Amino acid sequence: MKTGEKTATLADVAHLAGVSQQTVSRVVNTQGQVSARTRARVMDAVGQLNYVPNRLAQGLARQRSQSIGFATNDISLHAPSQLTSGIERAARESGFSLIVSIVPGYGLASVTQAVRALKERQVDGVLINASLSSKDAAEVSRRFADVPSVFLDVPPDSPVNAALLDQYHGAALAARHLLELGHTRIACVHGPQNAVAEHSRLQGWGDVLKDRSLALVAQQEGDWSPASGYAAAVALLASGIPFTAVLVGNDQMAVGVLRALWERGLNVPGDVSVIGYDDTAESALLIPPLTTIRQDFPTLGQKAFHHLKALLDGPEPTRVTLTRPGLVVRASTARPRLGQRLQWQEALQVVQQHLWNRGTEEQGGE
Amino acid sequence: MKTGEKTATLADVAHLAGVSQQTVSRVVNTQGQVSARTRARVMDAVGQLNYVPNRLAQGLARQRSQSIGFATNDISLHAPSQLTSGIERAARESGFSLIVSIVPGYGLASVTQAVRALKERQVDGVLINASLSSKDAAEVSRRFADVPSVFLDVPPDSPVNAALLDQYHGAALAARHLLELGHTRIACVHGPQNAVAEHSRLQGWGDVLKDRSLALVAQQEGDWSPASGYAAAVALLASGIPFTAVLVGNDQMAVGVLRALWERGLNVPGDVSVIGYDDTAESALLIPPLTTIRQDFPTLGQKAFHHLKALLDGPEPTRVTLTRPGLVVRASTARPRLGQRLQWQEALQVVQQHLWNRGTEEQGGE
DNA sequence: CATTCCTATGTTAGCCTTAACAATATGGGG
DNA sequence: CCCCATATTGTTAAGGCTAACATAGGAATG
């Protein structure tokens, strides 16, 4: 903070009110016995000087900063930003401030660096939303043993405190849905492999298919972005491998997949079923409305915070909470109807494409 | 932070290394003269004790916390989350931590509350991304005169430090684009009126139309969400007022608008042109690809931080920086072709709708 | 009326760092 | 061999707050 006309301190207030610092402290923190008269005088002085407590000093004296840290990877993505929203809210309601520290990249080193920065700030605990193997999570937890931590993106069997979404189960739900519709040739577009959650999902998809002696007919990796979903779908189509359904790692990539299929004149769900993951705000309004797996990140954020808070209040045994996502059936999935494509649909595509081109050529590029 | 086996302090390190605290401080902060031998001994002790500096104490002593605050409204929205990403990054690169405080609701009181919480934490400065009138912004700036502040969502003529996107100009770009294509019956779906930026945009749209003696034929308000965009478009259609183009306040609502038009069997851009605002990652891959106004929030966040940092380093005159967004022409806009709707398109809608319904009825709800 | 027990308030000593100043050592010039 | 400049290290006093203990009045009790 910059020096204006000097911020008032407890001592200033005490002086003006003619009482001791401690009394002012008691009034400000509404704890301990203070006579109504004194309280009024103090409050008055607080108002006059526009006193604002100094939480740094308070934290130093109390040995508790009333702040928590959130170490997360790219906060501009859907999941982290939704999580942040839930965490901040829960924290604020409990009187905690939130310090955000982005984990730049993957791996133990990056996470360690981010958490260290938070520890320097004396956060009372940390929430860690970065992909970490079971082993690495344990290592982080050990290395920062004096700072309670709750992980949000680690394998469910990690020996650390964690609040997780049951990715395996969610993925299984998606795969089972396709199976029940009668699909047997299923491809997938998954997220980055170094994302732990994605690994669980791949597993979930695979296991369900395996139960029916099936397997994914093709896989492509994206980076969560719509553009990467598009590229992945294009690659899938280019491979020539026939498939009637695609499991997609998140709804954003699904947008790209939908587009790629559309460009090829493939009808969704007539020719290809597409199922996403997340249920973002736009998913219900895409064309077609996207069948997907719902994940409630803000709520997960709140749960994670309260888990952390419990850890702060009284040490509990390490535990992992798993929240099961749900299947949301919309219009992007249906029974497979191989080889029954309607002729006039292709005609439509051509006409529509033509219209768009006309729209585009009138104005130059970007 | 919880007590584990006690975090090491400067004194502990000093003791172990057999030097004074001050010397350790000098080594840790790499400032002042320290002999190589001593430095080595200290570093060794630091390593052994796994010493981490206490930034609270440091902030108290230095009268500078090396942290900045970000007061923003709903961080789960596109703009705030993108902004956060840019700000955090710039801050981290300059050695600052970021404390996030959500502004719960609209208006001076909410903002004051959020900024006060940040001031308590002794942030060196604040970035404020909440809609505030010119007057209210000045009031906040005055009330927290001792904390340098940069505003991100205030009118461009506000007497405060601000880093803004030129919403007026961006909106004008969009309206001009439609005009140039030949549209005269233009409707709009705008965001919440209490959003300052939205006000500028409405103004931009209006002024451009006024230049041609035109006006918006209809307006609907949304809340930035795709669902609200859908509802707004439905209302627009239900009103019976004919229009050939829609200006939309953000790309997310545009998703809903596209969907509503599609459901009515209206072709975009054949029957109605749609232009969004933001250029989100999915915009280029929607069906049809969305013509929109590009806004680079992460970069704005960085600029805002550096503006704030300049304020910290040396008081400068108050200034406002305006960044001009750009028009991205894609396929959702074209010349108006009133009354030329193709019959078979409606037929297609019916068939497709039927297909989807089939897909849906097989599996129960959510 | 002395004694006990609250209630209301004050005092003192830290929390961990840094700024400012003090002190000691080192080395070269006269 | 003394003196001064420089390099290196140490000492002391904050910074704003709270925990823990100390003290002074009363009211209640016997």
Side-chain angles (χ1 to χ4, degrees):
Chain A
M1 210 165 42
K2 243 187 7 187
T3 46
E5 42 211 71
K6 214 71 163 198
T7 320
T9 70
L10 264 193
D12 299 330
V13 176
H15 187 73
L16 180 60
V19 298
S20 74
Q21 284 192 32
Q22 191 55 224
T23 299
V24 178
S25 172
R26 277 189 276 253
V27 171
V28 171
N29 298 298
T30 51
Q31 54 143 252
Q33 306 287 62
V34 181
S35 73
R37 241 171 56 89
T38 309
R39 184 192 315 283
R41 265 223 312 276
V42 170
M43 293 294 251
D44 191 49
V46 164
Q48 274 185 54
L49 298 175
N50 192 19
Y51 170 73
V52 170
N54 181 329
R55 305 278 225 131
L56 294 193
Q58 198 178 53
L60 194 57
R62 283 216 254 242
Q63 295 291 80
R64 229 168 180 270
S65 67
Q66 286 291 107
S67 67
I68 61 158
F70 182 38
T72 180
N73 46 42
D74 192 356
I75 201 170
S76 64
L77 292 177
H78 176 72
S81 75
Q82 298 285 315
L83 268 176
T84 307
S85 176
I87 294 169
E88 199 280 346
R89 179 164 171 198
R92 180 157 35 87
E93 287 173 356
S94 295
F96 283 76
S97 291
L98 181 68
I99 304 182
V100 173
S101 182
I102 305 295
V103 178
Y106 285 101
L108 184 57
S110 299
V111 173
T112 299
Q113 188 183 330
V115 175
R116 200 190 125 104
L118 292 171
K119 178 179 170 171
E120 289 188 358
R121 288 257 132 111
Q122 308 301 111
V123 293
D124 294 330
V126 285
L127 260 24
I128 304 175
N129 175 230
S131 272
L132 241 27
S133 70
S134 192
K135 194 168 127 284
D136 285 351
E139 171 64 15
V140 169
S141 185
R142 195 192 61 69
R143 198 174 295 180
F144 297 99
D146 49 353
V147 186
S149 53
V150 172
F151 292 78
L152 297 170
D153 191 9
V154 294
D157 59 353
S158 302
V160 299
N161 282 291
L164 309 172
L165 292 168
D166 193 340
Q167 307 288 347
Y168 179 89
H169 186 79
L173 235 43
R176 213 167 287 132
H177 173 60
L178 293 180
L179 250 26
E180 281 167 6
L181 287 174
H183 292 273
T184 55
R185 308 200 58 85
I186 302 175
C188 85
V189 174
H190 60 259
Q193 290 263 9
N194 38 14
V196 165
E198 197 57 8
H199 190 257
S200 294
R201 291 205 283 232
L202 231 21
Q203 201 105 16
W205 290 337
D207 285 0
V208 168
L209 294 185
K210 205 180 295 169
D211 280 354
R212 301 264 189 111
S213 309
L214 291 172
L216 289 165
V217 296
Q219 310 187 12
Q220 282 291 326
E221 174 169 331
D223 64 5
W224 304 130
S225 73
S228 73
Y230 175 81
V234 166
L236 236 34
L237 292 166
S239 74
I241 300 169
F243 56 91
T244 62
V246 192
L247 288 157
V248 188
N250 74 345
D251 287 359
Q252 287 204 294
M253 290 195 293
V255 168
V257 171
L258 251 26
R259 168 68 182 284
L261 293 171
W262 183 90
E263 278 183 2
R264 281 297 181 98
L266 292 167
N267 177 267
V268 176
D271 300 309
V272 178
S273 285
V274 174
I275 183 163
Y277 212 108
D278 278 354
D279 194 22
T280 64
E282 30 274 278
S283 301
L285 294 155
L286 293 176
I287 303 177
L290 193 66
T291 293
T292 188
I293 303 297
R294 173 168 297 165
Q295 310 216 76
D296 185 350
F297 289 109
T299 299
L300 176 64
Q302 280 177 239
K303 280 189 189 168
F305 173 77
H306 287 119
H307 186 161
L308 182 60
K309 189 146 178 298
L311 251 36
L312 259 47
D313 295 342
E316 317 185 0
T318 296
R319 71 196 159 84
V320 172
T321 63
L322 267 187
T323 304
R324 288 208 165 181
L327 172 66
V328 180
V329 177
R330 290 201 273 251
S332 67
T333 48
R335 292 187 182 287
R337 300 181 308 119
L338 220 50
Q340 296 180 35
R341 247 180 47 235
L342 303 173
Q343 297 298 323
W344 50 264
Q345 280 208 18
E346 276 182 337
L348 168 64
Q349 302 299 342
V350 173
V351 174
Q352 213 150 24
Q353 196 79 50
H354 175 70
L355 283 173
W356 295 7
N357 288 342
R358 267 196 39 206
T360 314
E361 75 203 11
E362 324 234 342
Q363 280 267 342
E366 322 205 335
Chain B
M1 209 167 39
K2 244 189 2 189
T3 47
E5 40 210 73
K6 214 70 165 197
T7 321
T9 70
L10 223 39
D12 299 328
V13 177
H15 187 74
L16 180 61
V19 298
S20 73
Q21 286 191 31
Q22 191 55 223
T23 299
V24 177
S25 173
R26 278 188 276 251
V27 170
V28 172
N29 298 298
T30 50
Q31 54 145 254
Q33 306 286 63
V34 181
S35 74
R37 241 171 56 91
T38 308
R39 182 190 318 280
R41 265 226 308 277
V42 171
M43 294 293 252
D44 190 48
V46 164
Q48 274 185 55
L49 297 176
N50 193 19
Y51 170 74
V52 170
N54 182 329
R55 303 279 226 134
L56 295 193
Q58 198 178 55
L60 192 58
R62 283 216 257 241
Q63 295 292 82
R64 230 168 180 268
S65 67
Q66 287 291 104
S67 68
I68 62 158
F70 181 39
T72 180
N73 45 42
D74 192 357
I75 201 170
S76 65
L77 292 177
H78 177 72
S81 74
Q82 298 284 316
L83 268 175
T84 307
S85 176
I87 294 169
E88 199 279 346
R89 179 166 171 195
R92 181 158 32 90
E93 287 173 356
S94 294
F96 283 76
S97 291
L98 180 68
I99 303 181
V100 172
S101 182
I102 304 295
V103 178
Y106 284 101
L108 184 57
S110 299
V111 174
T112 299
Q113 188 183 330
V115 176
R116 200 191 124 104
L118 293 171
K119 179 179 169 172
E120 288 188 358
R121 288 242 119 89
Q122 308 300 110
V123 294
D124 293 332
V126 284
L127 261 21
I128 303 176
N129 176 229
S131 272
L132 242 27
S133 70
S134 191
K135 194 168 125 286
D136 285 351
E139 172 63 15
V140 170
S141 185
R142 195 192 60 69
R143 199 174 293 179
F144 297 100
D146 50 353
V147 186
S149 53
V150 173
F151 292 78
L152 297 170
D153 191 9
V154 294
D157 59 353
S158 301
V160 298
N161 282 291
L164 309 172
L165 292 168
D166 193 340
Q167 307 287 347
Y168 180 88
H169 185 78
L173 235 42
R176 212 167 287 131
H177 173 61
L178 292 180
L179 250 27
E180 281 168 6
L181 287 174
H183 292 272
T184 56
R185 306 200 60 85
I186 302 174
C188 84
V189 174
H190 59 261
Q193 290 263 12
N194 39 14
V196 164
E198 197 58 8
H199 191 258
S200 293
R201 290 205 282 234
L202 229 23
Q203 200 107 16
W205 290 337
D207 285 0
V208 167
L209 294 185
K210 205 182 294 167
D211 280 354
R212 300 263 189 110
S213 309
L214 292 171
L216 289 166
V217 295
Q219 310 188 11
Q220 283 291 326
E221 175 169 328
D223 65 5
W224 303 130
S225 74
S228 73
Y230 175 81
V234 166
L236 236 34
L237 292 167
S239 74
I241 301 168
F243 57 91
T244 62
V246 192
L247 289 155
V248 187
N250 74 346
D251 287 359
Q252 287 204 292
M253 291 196 292
V255 168
V257 171
L258 252 25
R259 168 67 182 284
L261 293 171
W262 182 90
E263 279 183 1
R264 283 295 182 99
L266 291 166
N267 176 268
V268 176
D271 302 308
V272 178
S273 284
V274 174
I275 183 164
Y277 211 108
D278 277 355
D279 194 22
T280 64
E282 31 272 278
S283 301
L285 294 155
L286 294 176
I287 301 175
L290 193 65
T291 293
T292 188
I293 303 297
R294 171 168 299 165
Q295 308 215 80
D296 185 349
F297 289 109
T299 299
L300 176 64
Q302 280 177 239
K303 280 189 190 169
F305 173 78
H306 287 119
H307 186 161
L308 183 60
K309 189 146 181 297
L311 250 38
L312 259 48
D313 294 342
E316 317 185 0
T318 296
R319 70 196 160 81
V320 172
T321 63
L322 266 187
T323 305
R324 289 207 164 181
L327 172 67
V328 181
V329 179
R330 290 202 270 251
S332 68
T333 47
R335 293 186 180 289
R337 299 180 310 118
L338 221 49
Q340 295 181 34
R341 241 173 59 232
L342 304 173
Q343 298 296 325
W344 51 263
Q345 278 208 18
E346 278 182 337
L348 168 64
Q349 303 300 341
V350 174
V351 173
Q352 213 149 24
Q353 197 79 47
H354 174 70
L355 282 173
W356 296 6
N357 289 342
R358 268 196 36 204
T360 313
E361 74 203 13
E362 322 234 344
Q363 278 270 337
E366 328 206 327

